[in-house]
Amino acid sequence: TGGSLGGGLAVITGAQTKANAVAISGLNGMLSRRTFDPPLTIEQLDNSVFNVIPDRDIIARTGDRSRLFQEIQCRAPVNNLFACHSMWRSACELAFTCGTGDRPVMCQCVEKFGYPEPIQNGTRTFEQACAEEAETLQQALPGAFEK
């Protein structure tokens, strides 16, 4: 699994090892498949690789796609060339479109990307849940979410 360059590496590694691989905004492997030793086959890419491709993501839309992919919306401003090439924005779009089930909503989706606040269905407010999430994330990934 990987995003962007990591997604491209997941595509290559998954195809080479025939292990299932998921890429978010990964560069498609069809264009470069013959440059590897041994070359990747279309069958390897079609059977092992799943790529999430946001609208207007110029990186993920480069080259032909293998068979397993999912296009998703990108709600970023149209005038921002690389805004759709964001693993976090893609994760937010997937959570917004598909729901989060029993998992907590990602507060960054609302705060950073403007997704609507979820409907409260428990005892905590959105602000309380986000404060707890921010503390947990800060402990797990120091400095990763500073503005």
Side-chain angles (χ1 to χ4, degrees), residues 22-26 50-54 57 60 68-72 90 94:
V22 176
I24 297 178
S25 294
F50 183 83
N51 199 1
V52 176
I53 303 173
D57 182 344
L68 303 175
F69 66 90
Q70 178 63 54
E71 290 185 343
I72 62 172
S90 294
L94 290 169

Side-chain angles (χ1 to χ4, degrees), residues 15-139:
Q16 286 178 332
T17 63
K18 297 181 180 155
N20 294 332
V22 176
I24 297 178
S25 294
L27 189 61
N28 294 298
M30 291 294 209
L31 188 62
S32 61
R33 68 184 179 83
R34 291 185 187 100
T35 64
F36 301 103
D37 188 18
L40 302 177
T41 66
I42 293 173
E43 181 182 5
Q44 287 172 305
L45 290 165
D46 281 348
N47 293 333
S48 300
V49 176
F50 183 83
N51 199 1
V52 176
I53 303 173
D55 289 340
R56 301 186 334 266
D57 182 344
I58 60 174
I59 306 298
R61 292 183 175 278
T62 301
D64 294 333
R65 299 177 191 147
S66 54
R67 182 172 36 144
L68 303 175
F69 66 90
Q70 178 63 54
E71 290 185 343
I72 62 172
Q73 257 189 312
C74 177
R75 298 167 197 265
V78 178
N79 63 349
N80 189 334
L81 184 61
F82 290 104
C84 293
H85 190 70
S86 163
M87 188 172 72
W88 282 109
R89 187 181 296 277
S90 294
C92 291
E93 182 61 33
L94 290 169
F96 178 72
T97 303
C98 302
T100 58
D102 294 334
R103 294 171 304 279
V105 67
M106 294 184 292
C107 298
Q108 292 290 319
C109 299
V110 174
E111 295 166 354
K112 188 171 182 180
F113 300 120
Y115 283 87
E117 286 188 21
I119 298 169
Q120 185 177 351
N121 63 357
T123 57
R124 299 182 302 167
T125 66
F126 178 73
E127 290 79 20
Q128 289 168 329
C130 288
E132 292 172 18
E133 179 188 307
E135 186 177 321
T136 301
L137 285 174
Q138 187 61 31
Q139 290 172 359

